[in-house]
């Protein structure tokens, strides 16, 4: 295992723990890994705001 792969696994483990996704990660590790990598790439490209109050997608609205 390369150094970068080990580092990525450790960062993912910390993120999962901080987000409280341990049970979800046990059931769906591949999905959580893909989501984590997607967010990391978007942040690195500057396309994802670091403001947690800013939604990444348009707000959902109830159709009447």
């Amino acid at each position: 295992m390369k150094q970068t792969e080990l580092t990525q696994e450790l960062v993912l483990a910390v993120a999962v723990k901080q987000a409280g996704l341990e049970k979800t990660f046990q059931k769906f590790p591949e999905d959580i890994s893909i989501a984590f990598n997607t967010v990391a790439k978007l942040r690195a490209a500057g396309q994802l705001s670091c403001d947690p109050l800013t939604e990444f997608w348009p707000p959902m609205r109830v159709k009447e």
Side-chain angles (χ1 to χ4, degrees), residues 16-58:
V16 165
K17 180 77 173 171
Q18 287 179 341
L21 295 172
E22 294 94 344
K23 290 182 181 179
T24 306
F25 185 69
Q26 288 175 357
K27 290 182 180 180
F28 309 104
E30 193 172 307
D31 294 336
I32 300 295
S33 297
I34 290 169
F36 176 79
N37 289 334
T38 301
V39 169
K41 287 177 185 176
L42 288 172
R43 279 200 174 167
Q47 295 178 359
L48 184 62
S49 173
C50 291
D51 183 9
L53 299 177
T54 304
E55 291 188 25
F56 187 59
W57 52 85

